[in-house]
Structures are given as C-alpha cells and as structure tokens.
Amino acid sequence: SAQTGLSYSTLTLAFAVVPSLLLASSIIVLTDENAHKHSKKPKKKVSSISSQPQEAKNELVGSGCGRFKGICSKFRKLFINLETKPILMLLFFASSYILSGMVPITNFPSWMFKSQYPFSYQMAITISLVGNLAGSVSSPFFSSWVGQTPVIIITTVIMTFCMSGLMFFYFYAMCAASSIICFIPLILTVVFFTCLGAGIGTIFNVILGEKLPEKSRSLTLPAIMVVMELWDAVQTFAFNPLQMVFGENFLPLIFAFHMVVNALTLIVVVLFYSTHAK
C-alpha cells in the first residue's frame, strides 16, 4: 500500500468488499441457472390434488416479499433447498480460519515489527509465508499418518499459544533495541503460520470439497467466499479505529481476541469430531 499510495482500507474496499458484493449477486444468477436446469428435467404426471401442497409451498415462498417478490422468493427457495448442517459447519471453519490471527499480521506487519527490531518486517512476513507453505505441503503427510482430527487439534492448540504469547509480548513491551528477545514475535509468527498451513488452512479446503453438498455447491461456495472476504474487510477496517481508541494496548487486545477465537475453534472441533466418532 505504501508503494501505491493507497491505504489498506481503500485496497480492502477494492479487492475484498467489492468482489464480495459481486459474489453475493452471483448467487441470484446461479439460483436462476439451477432452477432453469431443473425445469428442463421431465416431470412425472401428478394429480391436481397432489400438486396442491407444492402450489401452497410456492405461495409460501413468495409471500411477504412485497415489491421485491422475485428476489425474495429466490433466496427463500435457496435456503429451503440447502442442507444447513454441513454449510453451517463450513461457515464456522471459514470464519475460524480468517479470524485465526493472520489478517493483522499480514496486513499490518509494520505495527508488529518496529524499525528498532534487528530485522525488517518484510523479512518477518517472508519467513512466515515460507513457513505457511511448508505447513501446507506437509499437511497431507501428517493427515495420512495420524489423521485429520489430531492434526487440526494439535495445530489449533499451538496457534492458540502463539496468539497468547504475542499478547503477553506486546502487553509488557518486552523488546529493547537490538535485543535478542525481539526475535520472540518472529518465532511465534513463523510457528503460527506453519501450523495454520498444516492445520485449518489446508484441512478446511479438504473439508470444503468433502462436506459441501454437490447439488448446491455453485451457490454455497460463493457464499462461503463472501463470508471470508467480509471478515477480512471487517478486521482491516477495524484496525486503525482500535489503535486510536486503545493506543499502545490495541495489539495485546487484538491478539487476545484471536487467542479466544482459536480456543473456541479447538473446543468446537473436539466436540464435533468426538460426537461424530460415536
């Protein structure tokens, strides 16, 4: 953003919010496309009595929409036909992934790694992304070795400790000029991104392909992408106001929030997999 002369908020608006709105509008188009495909399929002959419940259902779908009856009925049909449980699970994993703590690190690294640190923030982000790549490459190996559930649980535990470590580091302002202790946030960040790549960052995409209902994939996949982009935009837009309100304490508060998110993700993952294992 410094090279282009544009703020992170402007870039987020251009490359996150606007594409999200376009994806959201595509859901309406895809709903029409799916309805058109289904209308081409031969329908069995039914009696006028048996068709009455369907007619009543159509009236229910379109009722209460007023002048926006067309668009409203499309969305109601969409939600009626969706399989909600796997989609809610995927929305949860998508939110957990984007709220894990990677957005403030990647979007505002200069706030974390100050100029007095013995390394630049560009080097810190580069090493972190290399760690994320290494984690993504190693994820299939560990998943086939011990299974997806232990991998995502262990990596989420480590990510939670990384966020708590960053919270305490910036709360006590531990870094002195050119001190070796300044490498602590770098180490925690690299470990965090490596676990993110090995855990939910990769396994979420696997779950997305396995659990997303195929018949509604063209509709639900854009919706999940919209949720992720909007969470990214919310975090980006909230960063500067939080800094203005809380001053020097805003970084510990941000990492405390992401620590709680990762802890909640861990609890839900354990409960979810333990329930489905029975």
Side-chain angles (χ1 to χ4, degrees):
S1 64
Q3 294 178 352
T4 59
L6 300 174
S7 65
Y8 276 112
S9 299
T10 304
L11 293 174
T12 303
L13 181 65
F15 295 103
V17 177
V18 173
S20 298
L21 296 176
L22 293 176
L23 281 171
S25 62
S26 71
I27 297 177
I28 302 176
V29 178
L30 291 171
T31 304
D32 286 337
E33 184 69 18
N34 282 356
H36 182 66
K37 288 181 180 179
H38 290 297
S39 65
K40 290 183 178 179
K41 295 181 179 179
K43 297 180 179 179
K44 296 181 179 180
K45 293 183 179 180
V46 293
S47 63
S48 58
I49 297 177
S50 63
S51 63
Q52 288 179 359
Q54 181 63 34
E55 293 175 359
K57 182 179 179 181
N58 292 337
E59 291 180 1
L60 179 62
V61 167
S63 62
C65 296
R67 66 179 64 182
F68 304 104
K69 184 176 181 180
I71 297 176
C72 183
S73 61
K74 291 173 188 176
F75 278 104
R76 287 190 178 181
K77 288 179 181 178
L78 172 63
F79 288 115
I80 288 173
N81 295 327
L82 287 180
E83 299 178 22
T84 55
K85 286 186 178 180
I87 293 172
L88 289 175
M89 182 193 70
L90 290 170
L91 287 174
F92 170 79
F93 278 114
S95 301
S96 299
Y97 170 66
I98 206 70
L99 293 173
S100 61
M102 65 175 183
V103 172
I105 298 175
T106 54
N107 288 3
F108 304 96
S110 59
W111 284 92
M112 289 183 57
F113 308 106
K114 304 294 185 180
S115 57
Q116 69 266 24
Y117 283 27
F119 52 87
S120 64
Y121 69 85
Q122 293 93 338
M123 186 187 77
I125 291 300
T126 301
I127 298 174
S128 299
L129 294 179
V130 171
N132 185 259
L133 176 61
S136 301
V137 172
S138 63
S139 180
F141 169 75
F142 288 115
S143 297
S144 61
W145 182 29
V146 297
Q148 288 183 357
T149 305
V151 170
I152 197 170
I153 289 176
I154 293 172
T155 53
T156 305
V157 169
I158 297 174
M159 289 164 57
T160 305
F161 279 110
C162 288
M163 289 295 107
S164 62
L166 290 171
M167 177 189 68
F168 284 111
F169 180 87
Y170 289 105
F171 181 78
Y172 292 105
M174 296 180 178
C175 182
S178 300
S179 173
I180 194 172
I181 203 171
C182 296
F183 285 94
I184 290 179
L186 174 61
I187 295 172
L188 292 174
T189 303
V190 173
V191 173
F192 168 80
F193 273 99
T194 303
C195 292
L196 182 67
I200 192 171
T202 300
I203 296 177
F204 165 70
N205 293 319
V206 176
I207 297 174
L208 193 65
E210 292 178 350
K211 301 295 184 182
L212 194 62
E214 186 174 357
K215 65 180 181 181
S216 58
R217 189 169 296 178
S218 60
L219 304 176
T220 51
L221 187 58
I224 292 173
M225 296 298 106
V226 166
V227 171
M228 294 178 66
E229 292 293 342
L230 290 179
W231 275 129
D232 191 338
V234 167
Q235 293 177 86
T236 302
F237 284 121
F239 192 88
N240 286 330
L242 287 175
Q243 189 273 333
M244 294 175 63
V245 172
F246 296 102
E248 295 181 355
N249 293 324
F250 83 107
L251 275 181
L253 288 174
I254 286 176
F255 290 122
F257 167 75
H258 293 300
M259 177 190 68
V260 172
V261 170
N262 288 316
L264 291 176
T265 302
L266 176 64
I267 294 172
V268 173
V269 167
V270 171
L271 293 176
F272 174 80
Y273 282 106
S274 61
T275 302
H276 283 68
K278 295 180 180 179

